[in-house]
Amino acid sequence: MQATGEDVRAIVAALPETVEQFAWGMPIFKVAGKLFLTLPEDETSMAVRCPIVDRDELVVAEPDKFWIAAHEAGNPWVRVRLAALDDRAELTAIVTDSWRLAAPRALLEAADQ
């Protein structure tokens, strides 16, 4: 799959209470005011929320797809190379998981109904 920033935006747009902004020289995405995704490196990758234990396992299992930026090493974020994703379902799952980690409980409960 050759995923792009536009593919990411289309998935984000379908998630409740999300907004796109521009900060740190790149597009960023928030849910209910909380950051859950960025599009760095000229939108060839994305940074998403991911529990550190899961993140470390992803990087070891698929280093061509996932990596940790030095300044994010102590935080629950992982970088994803968009061109390395298998298909749209994988992209959607990664974006949605990050959104769920940032969304407030009431929004999650409403989305799950």
Side-chain angles (χ1 to χ4, degrees):
M1 173 182 189
Q2 284 292 354
T4 66
E6 291 308 311
D7 295 322
V8 172
R9 284 179 177 87
I11 294 165
V12 168
L15 297 170
E17 294 190 36
T18 60
V19 296
E20 179 176 352
Q21 298 174 336
F22 195 80
W24 310 297
M26 71 184 110
I28 66 169
F29 300 85
K30 293 181 177 182
V31 55
K34 193 168 181 183
L35 184 66
F36 75 96
L37 188 147
T38 68
L39 280 173
E41 288 93 37
D42 295 327
E43 299 188 14
T44 61
S45 72
M46 63 181 174
V48 294
R49 290 181 171 270
C50 184
I52 290 176
V53 172
D54 296 338
R55 173 197 73 181
D56 293 346
E57 290 176 7
L58 288 171
V59 171
V60 169
E62 297 184 83
D64 292 337
K65 189 180 292 185
F66 301 101
W67 85 98
I68 303 165
H71 68 280
E72 296 167 346
N75 297 307
W77 288 87
V78 68
R79 298 286 177 106
V80 184
R81 289 175 182 87
L82 294 178
L85 294 173
D86 296 332
D87 52 32
R88 188 168 179 93
E90 183 178 31
L91 175 61
T92 300
I94 292 169
V95 170
T96 303
D97 286 349
S98 184
W99 178 87
R100 293 185 68 80
L101 288 169
R105 180 175 298 167
L107 186 56
L108 291 174
E109 290 171 357
D112 289 343
Q113 290 182 358

